[in-house]
Amino acid sequence: MNRDYQNSPRNVVMNFVLSLYVAGTCKVNTGTMSLACGSKCLKYILFITNFVFFLIGLGTVGLGVWALLDDDRILILTEVGDSGSFDVVSLIRTGALVLIASGGVAVLIGFLGCCGAVKENNCLLFAYCVVMVVILFVQIAAVVIAAIFQSKVVNWTFLELGELRATKVTEDLKAFLKSRLSAQYDGDVKTGDPFSLGLDVAQLQFECCGIDNYMDFLSATRWQDKKNTSDIIPLTCCKFTNKESFYKDVNSLNMDDTSCQTSPSDENSNFRKGCWNAILEYANDKAIYVIAIGVAIGVVEVLCVVVAVCLIQAVRKSDEEESQ
């Protein structure tokens, strides 16, 4: 048989799945090797790991259900205003459904792993291995797709006539934020408006100003009506020596330059630096941590499959010895 055909990805996957099936359903001759003591360790390792998965899954499902059913919270978020083509409510509900689905998968994994380990049930352990392998392949596919389309983030939606179109989520979100800034931002650091407060926090935390830059505030009608005539930028676009005080006592904020709002410059303010790019840069800087977490999760999943297969073989051997 051709060596390339034998080593093809399809055959590698089929052989791996077949080996799982054999380990879970067939008698295995392991000679004189004893796993009696080691199998107990494997059993407890698998149980503890999957019990953690189970708890995380329950928490994720609970969070998703809460986000989906808590209408009051949804209404508060929708008070941001009419978002045009960017449907905030649908986005929140979609996120809640994703949380519920992902949490449900984690609960299923935890259940199969815990019960399979405690009961030493090869059927449950085999099902656990199959689910874990499928999830691993899905994760690998997601990473590949994300790498290919990282600069083309799109959301596919169907029109009323069934025509498929792509709308750029990032562009819609950015346009939505700019429209909310124009219609709703009031520049009051003691505001009770969710959007205004959120933008002020972002401008302080990321040391930025507006969505693109300070020019965005020229169309901010509420701020224009309330501000001093000579003010060019909001207070939170300025540079402070103690920006952390904003969360404790707004009145204790100390500006580097008290003329910042009327005479902004690169030295006393962040008026040229937009929050959109600042947040994207922050996300890119932290991407390595996300990748590291993803790799760690993948390694744990692979180890769980290996441990489960070893436990399947140990249970099978134990059953053989008892029947002799």
Side-chain angles (χ1 to χ4, degrees):
M1 185 178 291
N2 186 279
R3 182 178 296 273
D4 292 336
Y5 177 77
Q6 288 179 325
N7 296 328
S8 66
R10 177 184 175 185
N11 282 286
V12 170
V13 172
M14 290 179 65
N15 290 333
F16 179 74
V17 173
L18 182 59
S19 67
L20 288 179
Y21 177 79
V22 170
T25 61
C26 298
K27 293 184 177 182
V28 179
N29 182 12
T30 56
T32 59
M33 183 178 63
S34 176
L35 296 175
C37 180
S39 64
K40 290 185 178 180
C41 294
L42 296 177
K43 174 180 176 178
Y44 292 128
I45 290 173
L46 194 63
F47 174 80
I48 293 172
T49 303
N50 285 280
F51 186 68
V52 172
F53 284 161
F54 186 79
L55 292 180
I56 292 174
L58 285 180
T60 305
V61 170
L63 182 61
V65 171
W66 172 79
L68 191 64
L69 300 181
D70 195 339
D71 293 334
D72 291 337
R73 299 294 180 185
I74 297 292
L75 289 174
I76 288 175
L77 290 171
T78 56
E79 285 177 2
V80 171
D82 181 16
S83 59
S85 62
F86 193 80
D87 192 343
V88 179
V89 178
S90 294
L91 180 64
I92 294 169
R93 289 174 178 166
T94 300
L97 292 174
V98 170
L99 286 175
I100 293 172
S102 58
V105 172
V107 168
L108 175 62
I109 291 172
F111 173 79
L112 292 174
C114 287
C115 292
V118 170
K119 297 294 185 181
E120 298 180 0
N121 186 300
N122 279 357
C123 292
L124 291 177
L125 290 172
F126 174 69
Y128 171 79
C129 290
V130 171
V131 173
M132 290 294 282
V133 170
V134 170
I135 290 175
L136 278 169
F137 277 107
V138 170
Q139 289 172 336
I140 293 172
V143 170
V144 172
I145 293 172
I148 294 175
F149 296 103
Q150 60 179 342
S151 61
K152 299 178 181 180
V153 180
V154 295
N155 177 37
W156 296 98
T157 57
F158 282 96
L159 299 177
E160 292 181 0
L161 298 179
E163 179 184 353
L164 188 67
R165 70 172 185 179
T167 57
K168 294 183 179 178
V169 172
T170 52
E171 291 182 1
D172 285 349
L173 177 57
K174 187 176 183 180
F176 161 67
L177 292 173
K178 295 184 74 169
S179 68
R180 289 308 92 218
L181 186 152
S182 298
Q184 210 156 337
Y185 182 75
D186 57 24
D188 183 358
V189 291
K190 297 181 180 180
T191 185
D193 176 68
F195 180 84
S196 298
L197 179 60
L199 183 57
D200 280 335
V201 170
Q203 290 180 156
L204 281 170
Q205 188 66 35
F206 296 100
E207 298 181 351
C208 54
C209 187
I211 308 303
D212 285 327
N213 52 49
Y214 77 102
M215 297 293 289
D216 294 333
F217 294 104
L218 294 176
S219 60
T221 54
R222 293 180 64 184
W223 181 68
Q224 290 290 339
D225 291 340
K226 296 175 66 174
K227 76 179 184 69
N228 295 326
T229 306
S230 57
D231 287 350
I232 298 176
I233 60 174
L235 179 65
T236 51
C237 286
C238 296
K239 292 182 178 179
F240 297 91
T241 58
N242 62 337
K243 66 179 182 179
E244 294 79 11
S245 298
F246 178 82
Y247 307 102
K248 300 177 181 178
D249 182 10
V250 173
N251 295 324
S252 64
L253 283 171
N254 294 320
M255 285 190 290
D256 288 353
D257 183 354
T258 55
S259 65
C260 165
Q261 288 187 268
T262 56
S263 302
S265 66
D266 292 330
E267 287 72 30
N268 63 17
S269 73
N270 307 298
F271 77 123
R272 297 182 192 275
K273 183 180 178 182
C275 290
W276 182 262
N277 288 333
I279 294 174
L280 288 182
E281 289 174 4
Y282 177 82
N284 287 333
D285 290 341
K286 301 300 180 182
I288 184 64
Y289 300 109
V290 177
I291 294 172
I293 292 172
V295 170
I297 292 174
V299 170
V300 170
E301 290 172 342
V302 171
L303 291 176
C304 283
V305 172
V306 172
V307 170
V309 171
C310 291
L311 187 56
I312 288 173
Q313 293 178 340
V315 171
R316 175 58 61 185
K317 180 182 177 182
S318 177
D319 291 343
E320 288 180 353
E321 291 176 348
E322 289 179 1
S323 63
Q324 291 177 355

